[in-house]
Amino acid sequence: MNEISTIPGNLPAPSDNGALNDTMQGILPHHIEAEQQLLGAILTNNDVYDRVASIITATHFYEPVHQRIYEIAAARIAKNALASPVTLKAFMEDDEGLKELGGAAYLARLAGAAISSFAARDYAQMIYDLAIRRELIRLGEDISAKAAKVDISSEPKEQIVEAEQQLYKLGEAGQADTGFQSFLKAVTGAVQNANAAYERGGGMAGVSTGLIDLDKKMGGLHPSDLIILAGRPSMGKTSLATNIAFNVAKAYKRGLKPDGTEGAVDGGVVGFFSLEMSAEQLASRILAEAAEISSHKIRQGDMDESEFRRLVQAAKDLEACPLYIDDTPALPISQLAARARRLKRTHGLDVLIIDYLQLCRGTAENRVNEIGEISMGMKAIAKELNIPVIALSQLSRQVENRDDKRPQLSDLRESGSIEQDADVVMFVYREEYYKEREKPGDHELDKIALWQEEMAPLYGKAEVILGKQRHGPIGIVDLSFEAKYTRFGNLVKDYQQGHEQAF
């Protein structure tokens, strides 16, 4: 056990010189006096525990005896029982470590050297910071030892991933607990959001999708929202997601925000987890939209000179777009969250898109519970990073069995928790797709004529059905869809066409 000097009277005030960090001599960073004085404060005034409990736990104390004192005190306070030198004495009479320090007399001396309660959080933060430094040293030594040991079962790449995960875990420790905030603080944030929308001419407080009618219905993409974008295969889920990603990244402008911080004042930095398609396939879709060249032509290389020049120019224009793609397949939700955090720290992050939810992995053995864990994890990412998260989702086959193929909330595949966790659920629906498959044979002239008549108003149109929206109305948004460019766009209304023709 580490030697601790007994306390003759009042303890000296903590200072930077008190932190022992001569690790070259094998001594890990710690501050015994700070630990002693904080424990004294808790034993003399149990209310101090509530101020520091969100910062430290017993494991953050360097001295094992202090760990046990804090642990017993915390357990008693949690039961609304008194934690004092007298009450703790009964629980620690047989503690060998405490006996070496003077037994019950040590507890009394701790209480006699207590700091004032207003300084408790500062002392707790110091103890926490030193504990993190010790963990970093241990982690570094562990990485070094594993790297030095040449083992065929432990590849260097695997060691890097493992070390990275441990560092993320350590980096995020203690950051999730924000606790209660006053209504004044909450209402101030709400007024700031309303002011941002007002300054944009009553448009929206969120990030624009680049699709006017969708923005009007949703008010843009709002921070901390989980947006589920669902649809059957071939409806254009990924196309709509890439269109939104491209529009947001293309509009990105950095500057001073209304709250005085620096960040995106228009558009934003976009992170795209493509769990189904490769980064190259996704880039081809975005290039097809930007260059107005069929994605099929780009894949086949079947382009004339002018089209190829357009493609090269579009690629140059897109170089500056802050759009980051991760195409690692079957990512666990924990790793997905860690990578999103890293992207925000290194490049910034304003919108996160995940294609698609069912391809993520959780830890639960039951598939329904696993999907629930994944959807909750995505909502947690949105809240923690304060960004909108757009997660694509598959729909069940029961859609195909109905006469009206428009999707409903009950069609969300595998778990009702997706609907519960989402702030917005929207479905992509193209009636044109289903009508095309009803085409009669060429010899059925009457039926062909009727089919063409029914097909005409559906051509090049799509619907985004807002099935759920916590902060706004539900309904249908009409969009245009150009299949050859895999591009959704703003649909020109009849009254707008008339207006344009008049001029």
Side-chain angles (χ1 to χ4, degrees):
M1 190 189 73
N2 295 294
E3 185 180 347
I4 302 180
S5 59
T6 56
I7 310 166
N10 291 332
L11 287 167
S15 65
D16 290 338
N17 295 329
L20 306 176
N21 32 20
D22 188 5
T23 54
M24 295 298 288
Q25 297 177 9
I27 303 172
L28 293 170
H30 63 280
H31 200 315
I32 294 299
E33 290 85 356
E35 293 182 9
Q36 291 168 330
Q37 292 180 18
L38 180 63
L39 287 173
I42 292 170
L43 294 179
T44 52
N45 180 3
N46 288 176
D47 290 341
V48 169
Y49 171 76
D50 294 327
R51 300 185 187 184
V52 302
S54 62
I55 302 173
I56 58 170
T57 63
T59 56
H60 292 124
F61 288 85
Y62 179 76
E63 168 54 44
V65 175
H66 291 172
Q67 291 181 4
R68 293 192 288 277
I69 293 170
Y70 183 86
E71 200 169 0
I72 294 168
R76 284 191 61 77
I77 293 167
K79 294 176 181 177
N80 288 322
L82 178 66
S84 69
V86 176
T87 59
L88 260 66
K89 177 186 173 184
F91 294 94
M92 301 194 70
E93 279 182 335
D94 297 328
D95 192 294
E96 293 299 327
L98 186 63
K99 284 178 183 177
E100 287 183 28
L101 299 173
Y106 183 73
L107 295 173
R109 285 197 293 271
L110 283 178
I115 50 164
S116 57
S117 58
F118 77 86
R121 284 186 67 87
D122 291 336
Y123 275 62
Q125 191 62 54
M126 182 189 299
I127 292 165
Y128 172 81
D129 290 344
L130 290 169
I132 293 298
R133 287 177 183 273
R134 293 196 297 273
E135 282 301 311
L136 277 170
I137 290 166
R138 289 190 184 106
L139 182 57
E141 288 172 349
D142 187 42
I143 292 168
S144 178
K146 282 185 178 178
K149 185 181 178 183
V150 181
D151 190 348
I152 196 165
S153 64
S154 182
E155 294 291 330
K157 285 183 179 179
E158 291 173 8
Q159 289 181 19
I160 291 167
V161 171
E162 187 184 339
E164 199 174 47
Q165 287 173 352
Q166 289 175 312
L167 279 169
Y168 285 148
K169 190 177 178 182
L170 189 60
E172 296 305 318
Q175 291 187 14
D177 186 14
T178 54
F180 288 103
Q181 59 175 293
S182 70
F183 182 69
L184 174 63
K185 186 177 179 184
V187 84
T188 302
V191 170
Q192 285 174 348
N193 288 339
N195 181 53
Y198 177 75
E199 286 181 352
R200 292 184 184 182
M204 57 195 168
V207 179
S208 171
T209 62
L211 300 165
I212 297 166
D213 293 329
L214 189 59
D215 283 342
K216 282 181 180 175
K217 202 82 169 176
M218 294 176 63
L221 306 172
H222 295 271
S224 81
D225 273 4
L226 172 60
I227 300 155
I228 298 294
L229 174 57
R232 289 292 294 153
S234 301
M235 285 295 107
K237 296 188 301 296
T238 303
S239 298
L240 182 55
T242 53
N243 290 173
I244 291 171
F246 173 55
N247 291 341
V248 172
K250 185 174 61 174
Y252 176 65
K253 284 180 187 170
R254 191 173 177 83
L256 207 61
K257 294 157 80 173
D259 61 0
T261 59
E262 193 177 337
V265 292
D266 195 9
V269 179
V270 182
F272 202 117
F273 283 102
S274 181
L275 307 179
E276 188 175 34
M277 290 194 299
S278 70
E280 289 77 14
Q281 288 172 322
L282 201 63
S284 292
R285 286 199 175 204
I286 294 170
L287 275 173
E289 179 194 354
E292 295 192 343
I293 303 169
S294 163
S295 54
H296 177 73
K297 278 189 169 186
I298 293 174
R299 263 198 321 272
Q300 301 293 327
D302 182 23
M303 292 175 283
D304 57 34
E305 190 176 343
S306 65
E307 286 174 331
F308 186 74
R309 283 182 180 176
R310 283 211 314 274
L311 181 72
V312 172
Q313 187 57 49
K316 284 182 180 177
D317 294 341
L318 288 170
E319 278 178 7
C321 279
L323 175 57
Y324 299 91
I325 300 168
D326 186 328
D327 61 358
T328 311
L331 263 179
I333 186 65
S334 56
Q335 265 200 43
L336 189 143
R339 292 182 186 203
R341 290 186 201 110
R342 178 171 56 172
L343 180 60
K344 180 150 190 174
R345 281 199 296 267
T346 53
H347 299 288
L349 182 60
D350 298 293
V351 177
L352 184 66
I353 299 172
I354 301 157
D355 182 16
Y356 55 91
L357 185 147
Q358 281 83 3
L359 289 178
C360 282
R361 287 194 290 116
T363 55
E365 292 181 9
N366 180 290
R367 181 60 177 167
V368 171
N369 292 343
E370 185 181 30
I371 293 294
E373 179 192 339
I374 292 164
S375 66
M376 283 176 65
M378 289 178 181
K379 176 60 183 173
I381 293 169
K383 287 186 73 175
E384 181 190 337
L385 302 183
N386 196 33
I387 57 168
V389 172
I390 302 174
L392 278 61
S393 177
Q394 291 281 24
L395 291 179
S396 64
R397 287 201 181 100
Q398 65 191 34
V399 177
E400 310 295 336
N401 300 329
R402 294 196 301 263
D403 291 335
D404 184 0
K405 302 291 194 293
R406 280 181 178 80
Q408 305 165 2
L409 287 173
S410 58
D411 297 325
L412 282 169
R413 190 167 160 187
E414 289 176 315
S415 177
S417 65
I418 297 175
E419 179 188 341
Q420 292 166 17
D421 295 327
D423 297 280
V424 177
V425 178
M426 52 187 187
F427 304 100
V428 187
Y429 174 70
R430 292 194 298 117
E431 195 174 346
E432 176 192 3
Y433 172 84
Y434 290 107
K435 207 69 187 171
E436 276 180 349
R437 277 140 191 80
E438 295 175 9
K439 184 180 179 181
D442 292 338
H443 61 283
E444 300 176 279
L445 299 179
D446 293 343
K447 289 183 179 179
I448 279 279
L450 181 62
W451 175 82
Q452 287 174 338
E453 189 180 328
E454 291 173 348
M455 190 72 179
L458 304 177
Y459 182 74
K461 290 183 181 178
E463 293 177 10
V464 171
I465 303 164
L466 285 165
K468 175 188 176 181
Q469 189 175 195
R470 278 206 176 111
H471 319 296
I474 59 172
I476 295 174
V477 177
D478 293 317
L479 298 174
S480 66
F481 180 69
E482 297 172 89
K484 61 180 178 179
Y485 305 142
T486 62
R487 178 170 66 186
F488 286 84
N490 301 303
L491 197 63
V492 179
K493 307 291 192 300
D494 293 337
Y495 69 86
Q496 291 172 322
Q497 284 181 328
H499 182 74
E500 286 168 2
Q501 286 165 4
F503 286 90

